Amino acid sequence: DVKVTQSSRYLVKRTGEKVFLECVQDMDHENMFWYRQDPGLGLRLIYFSYDVKMKEKGDIPEGYSVSREKKERFSLILESASTNQTSMYLCASSLGGRNEQFFGPGTRLTVL
Amino acid sequence: GQNIDQPTEMTATEGAIVQINCTYQTSGFNGLFWYQQHAGEAPTFLSYNVLDGLEEKGRFSSFLSRSKGYSYLLLKELQMKDSASYLCVPNTGFQKLVFGTGTRLLVSP
C-alpha cells in the first residue's frame, strides 16, 4: 500500500515565523502536491512537483514556497506565517497516467 | 477548462440506497475518480471508471457514460459511517486533479 506521511498532525505557530511542512511518500511516485482546505471549500492546489527539483505553481501559491530535493520528499514552506494561513494542509502523491492521488493524513496549522 | 456539477447536499436514512449524480465537462478525459472525504480528514479513493458501464465494489458502485459526460455513485445499505463528502473528479490526463466541494451526504438513523 502507498503510504504518504506528513510531519505533524497539529501545529501551532506565531505570526511571522517560518514554517516547514514535510511530506514523504514511499511508492516512488513522480508527482507530489500540496493543498490547503478551509471549512466549506474544496481542496485548493498550492504547488505541485512532477520531478525532483521541478515545481509548478498551483492556484494559490502566494505566501508559500516548496522544495523537492529528493523524489520521496516534498516540503511546503511558509516564509512568514500569517493568520490567514491557518488551515488544513494536505499532501498527495501520484504516478503519471492513472493520476490517482494518495493523500497524507493532513496537518492542521494554526497561526496565532 | 473543467466544469463539474453535483448536488451540494443529500440526506438519507440508514439502510437505504442513495445515488449521487455528477455531470462534467472537460477539455480532455481519461477516466473519472470518486473520492470519499470525512470531515476533518483527507480524501480516500473509492473508484475509478475508464470505460462506460457500472463497476461494483461491495456496497459501492460507480457508473460512467463518457458520451453523456455523466457518472453516478451508488451507495447501498447505508451506514452512519457513510456520512461524508463524495467528490467526483475527472482525470483529464494532466497530473493535476481538480477537487471540488463534492456532495455532502448525511445519513440519519
Side-chain angles (χ1 to χ4, degrees):
Chain A
D1 278 355
V2 175
K3 192 163 185 185
V4 181
T5 57
Q6 295 184 227
S7 47
S8 308
R9 290 300 304 271
Y10 299 94
L11 207 53
V12 179
K13 294 292 181 181
R14 298 224 172 260
T15 302
E17 280 193 78
K18 191 168 186 175
V19 182
F20 294 86
L21 302 182
E22 302 281 336
C23 175
V24 178
Q25 50 95 3
D26 66 358
M27 282 300 291
D28 204 36
H29 284 174
E30 59 229 29
N31 304 313
M32 295 189 75
F33 306 83
W34 274 108
Y35 298 90
R36 68 176 280 177
Q37 187 171 30
D38 299 294
L41 299 181
L43 277 69
R44 291 186 289 168
L45 183 64
I46 303 171
Y47 268 97
F48 79 99
S49 168
Y50 51 90
D51 202 350
V52 175
K53 296 191 187 295
M54 307 302 287
K55 61 186 179 186
E56 281 201 22
K57 292 180 181 179
D59 301 316
I60 51 163
E62 298 78 19
Y64 304 94
S65 62
V66 290
S67 171
R68 193 163 180 205
E69 297 296 317
K70 293 185 178 180
K71 193 173 186 180
E72 68 271 19
R73 188 180 297 267
F74 191 36
S75 302
L76 180 70
I77 303 151
L78 286 67
E79 295 290 342
S80 177
S82 63
T83 54
N84 63 14
Q85 291 179 309
T86 292
S87 188
M88 168 75 102
Y89 289 87
L90 290 157
C91 174
S93 71
S94 74
L95 206 53
R98 180 178 164 103
N99 290 326
E100 177 184 343
Q101 291 191 15
F102 297 83
F103 286 85
T107 296
R108 191 168 292 280
L109 173 68
T110 302
V111 182
L112 301 175
Chain B
Q2 179 172 266
N3 189 44
I4 303 165
D5 191 25
Q6 52 180 128
T8 304
E9 191 168 293
M10 298 180 71
T11 57
T13 308
E14 211 172 3
I17 299 172
V18 72
Q19 179 173 312
I20 302 174
N21 295 321
C22 170
T23 57
Y24 61 88
Q25 291 175 307
T26 61
S27 52
F29 186 80
N30 283 2
L32 189 129
F33 294 102
W34 282 95
Y35 279 82
Q36 179 191 58
Q37 186 178 24
H38 285 100
E41 297 183 11
T44 55
F45 169 85
L46 285 179
S47 66
Y48 183 54
N49 292 64
V50 175
L51 302 176
D52 286 359
L54 186 69
E55 294 213 4
E56 299 184 68
K57 194 188 293 186
R59 294 189 299 115
F60 292 9
S61 303
S62 55
F63 172 85
L64 177 67
S65 168
R66 295 175 68 119
S67 61
K68 294 182 180 177
Y70 169 68
S71 175
Y72 67 73
L73 181 69
L74 191 71
L75 293 78
K76 300 177 187 174
E77 301 168 18
L78 279 173
Q79 301 175 8
M80 298 295 289
K81 67 178 182 179
D82 297 330
S83 292
S85 291
Y86 293 86
L87 313 176
C88 166
V89 186
N91 178 8
T92 61
F94 297 102
Q95 298 101 327
K96 295 188 288 185
L97 299 177
V98 177
F99 295 86
T101 51
T103 298
R104 187 176 170 211
L105 175 66
L106 302 172
V107 180
S108 57

